[in-house]
Amino acid sequence: MPFTFEHHDPETYRRKARFISVVMAGQLIVFGMLFAQLLTATFGSSLWLNALGVFLGLLATSLTFAVLRERPWMREMRYVWQLKHHLSRLSGYLATLRREMDQGNGVALHLMTAYHQGMAQLAELNGRTLDDDGELLGERARIRRLREERGLPERVEGFDPHDLAAFRRS
């Protein structure tokens, strides 16, 4: 399934991410303590039962979150998880994609454009600046120049992760 870039307000995303993190941490603490107390009340006090209670709390929190993640108000979170997942996959192919892009491969150029565009969007959503070194700046400029030479727009709408199958993982 192709991945399409979406626009999300960075401030809204950060506010929701902070809120969800606090709620999940609170839920983990409550569930962990509840399960630990139930286990120790039933079977006696033990470090292992307390640890099992925390593990069960983590499991209950994860299950609750898995159910809630499909809700409409989680749209920004889902998008950022998908973006991070795809950027992680792309990063495993960067050396091959760079080499192929320099040899004129249009698919590699498209994937490299998507990678840099995604990294910039992720930094913007998280309220950070890209830690640009000269090499990355040069690569972005080279991508922009190659796209311009081919009459392609500077930005891409998205990419198909299945396109990576044509390349060897670096």
Side-chain angles (χ1 to χ4, degrees):
M1 185 168 98
F3 176 79
T4 304
F5 287 105
E6 299 174 4
H7 173 73
H8 293 281
D9 178 53
E11 189 54 43
T12 302
Y13 165 73
R14 287 192 296 271
R15 187 176 57 249
K16 282 185 178 182
R18 282 190 301 269
F19 177 75
I20 290 168
S21 296
V22 168
V23 168
M24 284 188 63
Q27 182 178 348
L28 173 60
I29 290 168
V30 169
F31 278 153
M33 288 177 57
L34 176 69
F35 284 122
Q37 286 181 349
L38 287 172
L39 287 170
T40 56
T42 305
F43 300 108
S45 184
S46 164
L47 176 64
W48 293 108
L49 290 175
N50 283 320
L52 179 59
V54 171
F55 175 74
L56 291 173
L58 179 62
L59 187 62
T61 301
S62 297
L63 289 172
T64 302
F65 194 65
V67 169
L68 294 177
R69 80 177 199 192
E70 296 304 320
R71 299 283 193 250
W73 51 269
M74 291 287 286
R75 190 168 49 94
E76 292 91 351
M77 301 300 114
R78 277 192 315 274
Y79 174 75
V80 171
W81 292 327
Q82 290 171 352
L83 178 62
K84 287 179 180 181
H85 170 75
H86 289 301
L87 289 174
S88 175
R89 284 198 58 207
L90 283 169
S91 70
Y93 291 84
L94 285 179
T96 303
L97 291 173
R98 286 178 178 126
R99 185 175 54 253
E100 291 291 324
M101 179 183 72
D102 289 339
Q103 293 174 0
N105 187 317
V107 175
L109 175 61
H110 183 82
L111 291 171
M112 287 298 294
T113 305
Y115 175 77
H116 283 283
Q117 188 174 318
M119 291 297 287
Q121 184 181 35
L122 187 59
E124 178 188 3
L125 286 169
N126 286 319
R128 297 186 177 101
T129 58
L130 286 175
D131 297 328
D132 287 331
D133 59 16
E135 191 176 317
L136 284 177
L137 287 172
E139 185 170 79
R140 282 195 198 108
R142 190 167 72 247
I143 290 169
R144 197 170 22 256
R145 181 180 46 77
L146 287 170
R147 291 187 68 79
E148 191 176 287
E149 287 173 1
R150 294 178 181 196
L152 299 170
E154 187 176 327
R155 301 178 61 79
V156 295
E157 296 295 319
F159 68 97
D160 190 345
H162 293 104
D163 288 345
L164 288 171
F167 301 98
R168 189 174 48 81
R169 196 168 171 86
S170 35

